[in-house]
Amino acid sequence: MNIVASVGPALALDVAEAESIAQLRHQAESCTRCDLYRNATQIVFGEGPRKTEIVLVGEQPGDQEDVAGRPFVGPAGRLLDRCLEEAGLDRRRCYVTNAVKHFKFTQRGKRRLHAKPNAGEIKRCAWWLGAEINILEPKLVVTLGASALYALLGSKVKLTPERGHILQPANHPPVLVTIHPSYLLRIRDEAEQQRLRLDFVSDLHKAAEFGAR
């Protein structure tokens, strides 16, 4: 495990105060901390058991998550479920959430295309993510992709060199760094996709082993 000096907005900034995830979710339902709420269908809060060892953090809800009001239920979520199963990690043991809780998109005709949240939006939503982590007190946080990594460990920690590593910020839960499953869905070459998928499953297996300690 590598020690890191930096922390991101979810661990460095003031966060919401609540006694439970249910109470926190209720507070978040009326969130207007950034402008993303204006066009999103609803807030998509995290879900999972109160007593959890592992928190999985993605970037933001997608189109299907925005409609359903639940995280990771679209194509990337279904791929994540399969990879978790291959890694021996039951999603029902994990709390699954996102760095940003509202869907950011660009309208193209009838389609809503994913738009990457910016640093300001991630900082605003850290109010909720940091509180989720404080309430849950997990053994391990898994960052899925660069936006989640920024939210937890800041801009100095980069995804590519730290991929697959478990990093230890002072006075906070350790963080395992990996990719977002949506990245795998964008790879056209089948052999390359399979190779990177196996790497992703290997990262998730490290999380499973860590949580079982």
Side-chain angles (χ1 to χ4, degrees):
M1 192 183 304
N2 299 329
I3 305 297
V4 288
S6 66
V7 292
L11 303 182
L13 302 179
D14 289 339
V15 300
E17 293 186 6
E19 294 182 359
S20 68
I21 291 294
Q23 187 182 88
L24 188 67
R25 182 184 292 109
H26 180 70
Q27 291 179 28
E29 286 173 356
S30 58
C31 180
T32 58
R33 292 181 60 80
C34 74
D35 287 338
L36 295 184
Y37 79 95
R38 297 181 184 277
N39 296 316
T41 303
Q42 59 192 316
I43 197 164
V44 180
F45 211 72
E47 64 177 28
R50 169 61 184 90
K51 299 288 187 181
T52 187
E53 297 168 342
I54 297 171
V55 172
L56 304 172
V57 183
E59 180 186 80
Q60 66 161 351
D63 181 78
Q64 292 185 32
E65 288 81 5
D66 173 72
V67 173
R70 297 183 57 215
F72 282 95
V73 295
R78 291 191 290 272
L79 177 57
L80 175 63
D81 287 349
R82 292 194 296 271
C83 291
L84 285 169
E85 185 177 356
E86 291 172 25
L89 182 56
D90 190 339
R91 173 166 164 166
R92 292 171 296 182
R93 287 178 48 207
C94 305
Y95 183 89
V96 184
T97 191
N98 283 297
V100 171
K101 312 299 192 206
H102 283 110
F103 180 33
K104 182 178 182 179
F105 61 91
T106 301
Q107 193 77 42
R108 295 281 176 83
K110 293 183 178 180
R111 297 180 65 202
R112 301 189 300 173
L113 303 180
H114 168 274
K116 186 180 179 67
N118 61 41
E121 290 156 350
I122 293 171
K123 287 178 182 177
R124 289 287 185 177
C125 217
W127 176 260
W128 305 115
L129 177 59
E132 286 175 294
I133 292 169
N134 286 348
I135 292 168
L136 293 167
E137 298 182 322
K139 280 187 179 180
L140 181 71
V141 179
V142 179
T143 57
L144 304 170
S147 294
L149 179 58
Y150 169 71
L152 269 296
L153 296 182
S155 59
K156 292 182 180 179
V157 181
K158 302 301 182 184
L159 176 58
T160 300
E162 297 297 351
R163 163 83 188 276
H165 295 164
I166 296 177
L167 308 179
Q168 178 64 71
N171 304 315
H172 295 288
V175 175
L176 186 147
V177 180
T178 190
I179 60 170
H180 195 285
S182 64
Y183 174 71
L184 297 174
L185 296 175
R186 296 193 295 269
I187 299 172
R188 298 294 182 89
D189 182 87
E190 189 173 336
E192 179 71 358
Q193 185 189 72
Q194 182 60 20
R195 183 182 68 81
L196 292 174
R197 176 186 169 133
L198 289 173
D199 289 344
F200 182 53
V201 170
S202 176
D203 292 342
L204 296 177
H205 183 65
K206 290 179 185 177
E209 289 184 323
F210 196 96
R213 291 180 183 177

